Amino acid sequence: MPYQDLQIHGAVAMHIPELNIPRVVIIGGGFAGLNLAKRLLGKGLQIVMLDRYNYHTFQPLLYQVATAGLEPDSIAGPLRKLFKEEENFFFRLALVQKIIPESNTIETSIGNLTYDYLVIATGAKTNYFGNEKIANAVFPMKQLPQALDLRSHILQNFEKATLVKDYDEKQSLMDFVIVGGGPTGVELAGALGELKLHVLPLDYPELDFRQMDIHLIDGNDRLLKGMSEVASKKALKYLERFSVNVWLNTTVTDYDGREVTLSNGKKIITRTVIWAAGIIGNLIEGIPKEAITRGNRILTNEYNQVVGFENIFAIGDIAFTKSEKYPNGHPQVAQVAIQQGKTLAKNLISMIKKKGKMKPFEYKDLGSMATVGRNRAVVDLPKWKFQGMFAWFVWLFVHLIAIVGFRNKIIILLNWFWNYFTYDRATRLIIRPFFREKMQNMSDSYFK
Amino acid sequence: MPYQDLQIHGAVAMHIPELNIPRVVIIGGGFAGLNLAKRLLGKGLQIVMLDRYNYHTFQPLLYQVATAGLEPDSIAGPLRKLFKEEENFFFRLALVQKIIPESNTIETSIGNLTYDYLVIATGAKTNYFGNEKIANAVFPMKQLPQALDLRSHILQNFEKATLVKDYDEKQSLMDFVIVGGGPTGVELAGALGELKLHVLPLDYPELDFRQMDIHLIDGNDRLLKGMSEVASKKALKYLERFSVNVWLNTTVTDYDGREVTLSNGKKIITRTVIWAAGIIGNLIEGIPKEAITRGNRILTNEYNQVVGFENIFAIGDIAFTKSEKYPNGHPQVAQVAIQQGKTLAKNLISMIKKKGKMKPFEYKDLGSMATVGRNRAVVDLPKWKFQGMFAWFVWLFVHLIAIVGFRNKIIILLNWFWNYFTYDRATRLIIRPFFREKMQNMSDSYFK
């Protein structure tokens, strides 16, 4: 994977000034880290945030970037901008390599740093369940560059499909397999369905879009396993509009870049497998084994303290925090991350200022939702479950409110209006680095 | 990464249907090609447009993408979208490799194609005047991926500057050298000046921005050589606001990625040299030598017919068309390209339908303009030259009108309002593919 190594050799260090106040180091600027940091400002603490990207990503809308509905810039918040003019806040673009709890130190790609309090909010990455062959052949969709890459890949495939006469070959370029029937998989299937119905046929009149098949594969006995049964049922029904082939109780056993093999023996020929089937924690070396549990999550107590440590915390997708209501840990969703960030902010301040008692984390489930193409969504609120057009408006509203930054809200709203009323997608650019070289490679290896 | 895993087996060709009407092949979807193609629609012709990108780029605003002011998507128009639902129009993503006039054929990365009429509208690329060492070390800015790359590079340099204590090293990361004092160079200098004054100091409080120097180097005795003397003088004055160091009558003689040597002997240490010093035509193999003139431009007669051919035309930056008023050829600017596209459309139709006489191309100079930071621009109209705030409004208005697509106009207007009133730039994301490789290369060469 690119993007991983920010190594700088030689006489380079982080140059974080030594202030006479406690230093909180936060690894990761996702939902958890961002919400924590915001609430620690102005409390007499030095806050250092490290991230391997210089922006916060609003992951719930990544699939819209991948399907040409939104600009990448509108679902990201540059971290320095979010904290600009904040005293005692320091951002560094860095990859954290190791934690050395004995000396309260972390090793990073840009030098070492000591901490008084360390918060691990590194989130999760795509889980291929150890299958390297599949990992190398599929498209993940957890980061902005991955979503952009997928967008270019999809559009390039249709360009290529216009060149191919062989039926199977053409099919392989126009068919899509999505692995994982959670919100990401379902929303992506709906978005591809919309492209198939309204956008691509106008762009590619030379192609027959009855030939474009969308497969959604899930190992469970229903889609949206984390939501109510009625939501699952409705989502399945909404996907029928787009003739999405849903394969339940099914897993992918092999994929070589061309042929997908399913656990039921079926084979599908496709160039595009999008993997939304599971996540695994972004672990950092130095966490003792006894603090790591399944899915590479870090075991914490109810205050999000990593087991065995006083001053190391884990929040968000990487954390495994049990509670009475959630004896098997909390779901790895944005709401848990946000709430853990907020709670930890209060607890850290209590702890450092020695004022008041720390409060155990308690997750308030605000519900969950997923959209399936235009005018359709499923919403599970704690006391009310509903689906359809109104659910879709609720989905739009909630996501618009949640996105970071006023400007982003406006640009997204504008894009959504545009897409809705024109049945169009505006941002379908194939932007690939070294494109000319690629084209030449393509012509060399593929077109001769 | 899944860049390469797309293989197309078997027979591949362009599959452009053979219709019983004349086929016009247009190479390039820039200002010239786009304006030509639009006017050939619905005239009983088969139009095939080839481009190595799937979008038209509004080059005059590239510098705003490079300086984090605009999203890349908002200055591009996807070519298939621009021509969607048009009968007898065919777009193909391809690189044209050779023209074989004897058989009315072109060879491309996706197979051969015959034409009845061929229009070369391939535009121009950055001219390094044969200096390969410089070519490998500087940043060009003619294409969208190049502008994005520059944006990431600039922001990464400031991230790195926070890590470096050595004064010279820090200086090298914060200093910028722009080569070429035409509109692109001047506008870029102004945009970097704005970043220095209003944006970067808030993002990087740990850096001292008195240290950030912007150098603008031009071989002529004044900036904006193509404009009036008063425009040159005012542009120079406007650049003083940002303390831009303007070096006139000066050229770059060497650059190794770290040290720039100027023709006057001065040396400047910088990691960022942006090359806007000249262009050279995007030639295609197969054009006879006698039809090629300086700057790799293709000689045409007054009807834009390539000398020696009846059915091959060249328009836009690649064309060298003399007229009474322009005995040394026309300037390589958007307006000439647009007008040549429009005129050729009429002439082609006359020629093919054998109706009316072809009209020689005559350039109507509508004037030129450049902006230098907020509230300042210089405008030369044929009968009126003015500068300052009003000129700046005119600049904004003209560019907004000219950009392709209603949605793009709105998004750009919104961004401009936002940037203007907040003194901010919204889209400062570092998005780089192969990030690791780049960083490692850099760390090897710069930080050891």
Side-chain angles (χ1 to χ4, degrees):
Chain A
M1 277 287 296
Y3 306 101
Q4 300 265 318
D5 198 333
L6 296 159
Q7 192 97 41
I8 292 174
H9 302 282
V12 169
M14 241 189 269
H15 299 315
I16 304 288
E18 299 283 344
L19 307 177
N20 230 345
I21 49 176
R23 176 185 288 169
V24 181
V25 174
I26 304 170
I27 311 176
F31 285 116
L34 196 62
N35 279 281
L36 169 65
K38 270 189 197 165
R39 281 161 188 82
L40 293 180
L41 297 171
K43 304 289 183 190
L45 302 172
Q46 183 183 36
I47 303 153
V48 181
M49 179 179 277
L50 306 171
D51 200 292
R52 66 187 148 148
Y53 297 107
N54 75 330
Y55 51 87
H56 166 79
T57 306
F58 191 74
Q59 290 185 341
L61 291 180
L62 271 180
Y63 82 94
Q64 295 208 3
V65 172
T67 51
L70 289 176
E71 291 98 337
D73 305 78
S74 62
I75 69 153
L79 288 165
R80 284 188 182 272
K81 179 181 143 92
L82 294 174
F83 291 96
K84 79 178 179 192
E85 292 183 273
E86 292 296 347
E87 235 190 330
N88 301 333
F89 177 89
F90 298 84
F91 173 78
R92 288 293 180 276
L93 189 68
L95 194 70
V96 177
Q97 291 151 338
K98 197 175 175 183
I99 299 170
I100 309 164
E102 300 76 39
S103 58
N104 287 343
T105 304
I106 54 170
E107 286 180 15
T108 85
S109 55
I110 57 171
N112 293 0
L113 185 72
T114 58
Y115 57 83
D116 296 308
Y117 302 89
L118 178 68
V119 183
I120 305 169
T122 48
K125 60 185 174 186
T126 305
N127 189 358
Y128 305 102
F129 306 104
N131 191 325
E132 282 240 357
K133 190 175 165 199
I134 286 178
N136 285 326
V138 301
F139 283 82
M141 221 189 48
K142 289 288 291 174
Q143 302 290 352
L144 209 39
Q146 292 168 350
L148 280 173
D149 205 33
L150 181 54
R151 179 180 85 181
S152 286
H153 174 80
I154 292 171
L155 294 170
Q156 268 183 351
N157 275 3
F158 285 101
E159 291 296 337
K160 284 181 191 156
T162 65
L163 308 177
V164 175
K165 272 212 164 143
D166 180 77
Y167 186 89
D168 279 355
E169 207 54 57
K170 194 173 279 219
Q171 190 98 1
S172 82
L173 292 161
M174 294 176 70
D175 283 3
F176 293 86
V177 171
I178 303 163
V179 187
T184 300
V186 168
E187 296 192 330
L188 196 56
L192 285 173
E194 290 288 342
L195 285 181
K196 174 184 168 179
L197 280 191
H198 301 301
V199 181
L200 295 171
L202 301 179
D203 268 18
Y204 300 93
E206 49 265 86
L207 299 176
D208 180 354
F209 279 86
R210 288 170 299 183
Q211 222 180 307
M212 174 176 168
D213 298 320
I214 304 165
H215 300 271
L216 179 59
I217 291 158
D218 196 85
N220 298 306
D221 58 355
R222 60 182 177 98
L223 295 175
L224 300 174
K225 188 76 180 179
M227 293 183 69
S228 64
E229 296 217 11
V230 55
S232 305
K233 232 168 104 180
K234 282 282 188 173
L236 190 64
K237 194 176 153 248
Y238 294 157
L239 286 173
E240 277 171 18
R241 271 198 296 175
F242 311 113
S243 319
V244 171
N245 303 297
V246 178
W247 304 85
L248 296 172
N249 298 309
T250 307
T251 56
V252 169
T253 56
D254 196 20
Y255 181 54
D256 60 2
R258 192 179 144 77
E259 192 177 69
V260 186
T261 310
L262 303 184
S263 55
N264 59 12
K266 187 183 160 63
K267 288 177 193 292
I268 303 168
I269 306 282
T270 182
R271 302 296 184 191
T272 316
V273 174
I274 303 159
W275 195 264
I279 54 174
I280 187 166
N282 281 317
L283 263 191
I284 300 171
E285 202 187 319
I287 304 286
K289 262 190 191 160
E290 56 273 21
I292 301 172
T293 180
R294 66 187 155 75
N296 276 358
R297 289 166 82 178
I298 299 176
L299 272 171
T300 76
N301 66 12
E302 67 269 38
Y303 309 112
N304 283 97
Q305 275 167 314
V306 176
V307 296
F309 301 101
E310 273 278 305
N311 64 341
I312 304 181
F313 303 80
I315 51 176
D317 282 355
I318 186 78
F320 187 90
T321 312
K322 285 186 211 176
S323 73
E324 226 170 275
K325 260 166 124 187
Y326 295 89
N328 298 314
H330 293 84
Q332 287 164 294
V333 296
Q335 268 306 319
V336 172
I338 292 167
Q339 293 179 30
Q340 286 189 336
K342 290 179 181 177
T343 305
L344 181 57
K346 284 186 199 148
N347 282 338
L348 262 179
I349 293 165
S350 303
M351 188 180 177
I352 296 169
K353 306 273 177 195
K354 298 192 175 76
K355 266 189 201 161
K357 261 178 72 179
M358 281 165 75
K359 279 200 332 200
F361 172 68
E362 212 165 320
Y363 174 45
K364 198 178 161 212
D365 185 359
L366 299 175
S368 50
M369 51 183 73
T371 178
V372 195
R374 62 195 288 130
N375 300 340
R376 299 286 183 275
V378 294
V379 174
D380 285 359
L381 298 186
K383 297 192 176 174
W384 184 29
K385 303 183 196 330
F386 54 103
Q387 303 84 30
M389 183 90 176
F390 178 66
W392 185 70
F393 276 114
V394 170
W395 183 94
L396 290 180
F397 182 75
V398 165
H399 283 76
L400 207 58
I401 293 299
I403 194 97
V404 166
F406 179 67
R407 180 193 157 281
N408 283 350
K409 286 189 215 303
I410 305 236
I411 300 264
I412 287 179
L413 188 63
L414 214 91
N415 271 298
W416 282 350
F417 265 108
W418 182 264
N419 297 345
Y420 188 79
F421 289 107
T422 63
Y423 284 85
D424 201 356
R425 297 290 176 275
T427 65
R428 44 184 183 272
L429 314 186
I430 299 174
I431 295 192
R432 296 202 129 167
F434 311 118
F435 188 65
R436 198 199 337 219
E437 286 80 352
K438 294 278 158 198
M439 283 295 287
Q440 268 158 355
N441 287 344
M442 275 175 55
S443 56
D444 289 338
S445 46
Y446 305 149
F447 291 105
K448 260 180 184 165
Chain B
M1 280 305 287
Y3 282 107
Q4 284 98 355
D5 58 23
L6 194 99
Q7 297 195 3
I8 294 183
H9 306 278
V12 168
M14 242 189 267
H15 298 316
I16 305 288
E18 299 284 344
L19 307 177
N20 230 344
I21 49 176
R23 177 185 288 168
V24 181
V25 174
I26 303 170
I27 311 175
F31 285 116
L34 195 62
N35 279 282
L36 168 65
K38 271 190 198 166
R39 280 161 190 83
L40 294 181
L41 296 172
K43 305 288 183 192
L45 303 172
Q46 182 183 36
I47 303 153
V48 180
M49 179 179 278
L50 307 171
D51 200 293
R52 64 187 149 148
Y53 297 105
N54 75 331
Y55 50 87
H56 165 79
T57 306
F58 191 74
Q59 290 186 341
L61 291 179
L62 271 180
Y63 82 95
Q64 295 207 4
V65 171
T67 51
L70 290 176
E71 290 100 336
D73 305 78
S74 62
I75 68 154
L79 288 165
R80 283 188 182 274
K81 180 181 142 92
L82 294 175
F83 292 95
K84 80 178 176 191
E85 291 182 270
E86 293 296 348
E87 234 190 331
N88 300 335
F89 177 89
F90 298 85
F91 174 77
R92 288 293 180 275
L93 189 68
L95 198 67
V96 177
Q97 290 151 339
K98 198 175 173 182
I99 299 170
I100 309 164
E102 300 75 40
S103 58
N104 287 343
T105 304
I106 54 171
E107 285 180 15
T108 84
S109 56
I110 58 171
N112 293 359
L113 185 71
T114 58
Y115 58 83
D116 296 307
Y117 301 90
L118 178 67
V119 182
I120 305 169
T122 48
K125 61 185 174 187
T126 306
N127 189 358
Y128 305 102
F129 305 103
N131 192 324
E132 282 240 357
K133 190 173 164 200
I134 286 178
N136 286 325
V138 302
F139 283 83
M141 219 186 52
K142 288 288 289 175
Q143 302 290 351
L144 209 40
Q146 291 169 351
L148 280 174
D149 206 32
L150 181 55
R151 179 180 86 180
S152 286
H153 174 80
I154 292 171
L155 295 170
Q156 268 183 352
N157 275 1
F158 284 101
E159 291 296 336
K160 283 185 193 150
T162 66
L163 308 176
V164 175
K165 272 212 164 142
D166 179 76
Y167 186 87
D168 279 354
E169 205 56 55
K170 194 173 282 223
Q171 189 96 4
S172 82
L173 292 162
M174 295 175 68
D175 283 4
F176 293 87
V177 170
I178 301 163
V179 187
T184 300
V186 166
E187 296 191 332
L188 196 56
L192 285 173
E194 291 289 341
L195 284 181
K196 173 183 168 179
L197 281 190
H198 301 302
V199 180
L200 295 171
L202 301 179
D203 267 18
Y204 299 93
E206 49 266 85
L207 298 176
D208 179 353
F209 278 85
R210 289 171 299 184
Q211 223 180 307
M212 174 178 168
D213 298 321
I214 305 166
H215 300 271
L216 179 58
I217 291 159
D218 196 85
N220 297 307
D221 57 355
R222 60 182 177 99
L223 296 175
L224 300 174
K225 188 75 180 181
M227 293 183 68
S228 64
E229 296 216 11
V230 54
S232 304
K233 231 169 107 179
K234 281 284 188 171
L236 189 65
K237 192 174 156 252
Y238 294 156
L239 286 173
E240 277 172 18
R241 272 198 294 176
F242 311 114
S243 320
V244 172
N245 303 298
V246 178
W247 303 86
L248 296 172
N249 299 310
T250 307
T251 56
V252 169
T253 56
D254 197 19
Y255 180 54
D256 60 2
R258 191 167 195 289
E259 191 177 69
V260 185
T261 309
L262 303 184
S263 55
N264 60 11
K266 188 182 160 62
K267 287 176 193 293
I268 303 167
I269 307 281
T270 181
R271 301 294 184 196
T272 315
V273 173
I274 304 159
W275 195 264
I279 55 175
I280 186 166
N282 281 317
L283 264 192
I284 300 171
E285 204 187 316
I287 304 286
K289 262 192 191 156
E290 55 273 21
I292 301 172
T293 180
R294 67 189 153 74
N296 277 358
R297 290 165 81 178
I298 299 175
L299 272 169
T300 76
N301 66 11
E302 67 270 39
Y303 309 112
N304 283 99
Q305 274 167 315
V306 175
V307 295
F309 299 101
E310 273 278 304
N311 64 342
I312 304 181
F313 302 81
I315 50 176
D317 284 355
I318 186 77
F320 187 90
T321 312
K322 284 186 211 175
S323 74
E324 223 170 276
K325 259 166 123 189
Y326 295 89
N328 297 314
H330 294 83
Q332 285 163 296
V333 297
Q335 267 307 319
V336 172
I338 292 168
Q339 293 179 29
Q340 286 189 337
K342 290 180 181 176
T343 305
L344 181 57
K346 284 185 201 149
N347 283 338
L348 262 180
I349 293 165
S350 306
M351 188 178 175
I352 296 169
K353 307 273 178 194
K354 298 195 173 80
K355 265 191 203 160
K357 261 178 71 179
M358 282 165 76
K359 279 199 334 201
F361 173 68
E362 211 164 321
Y363 174 45
K364 196 177 162 213
D365 186 358
L366 299 175
S368 50
M369 50 184 74
T371 178
V372 196
R374 61 196 286 130
N375 299 342
R376 299 284 184 276
V378 293
V379 174
D380 285 359
L381 298 187
K383 298 194 173 171
W384 184 29
K385 305 186 195 328
F386 53 103
Q387 302 85 30
M389 184 89 175
F390 177 66
W392 185 70
F393 276 114
V394 170
W395 183 95
L396 290 181
F397 181 75
V398 166
H399 282 77
L400 208 57
I401 294 300
I403 193 98
V404 167
F406 179 67
R407 181 192 156 280
N408 283 350
K409 287 189 214 302
I410 305 237
I411 299 265
I412 287 179
L413 189 64
L414 213 90
N415 271 298
W416 282 348
F417 266 107
W418 182 264
N419 297 345
Y420 189 79
F421 289 108
T422 62
Y423 284 85
D424 202 355
R425 296 289 176 277
T427 65
R428 45 184 182 271
L429 313 186
I430 299 174
I431 296 190
R432 295 200 125 163
F434 309 116
F435 189 62
R436 178 173 41 177
E437 285 79 354
K438 289 250 174 192
M439 285 296 284
Q440 269 164 353
N441 287 346
M442 281 187 54
S443 57
D444 288 340
S445 46
Y446 301 156
F447 289 106
K448 257 181 186 165

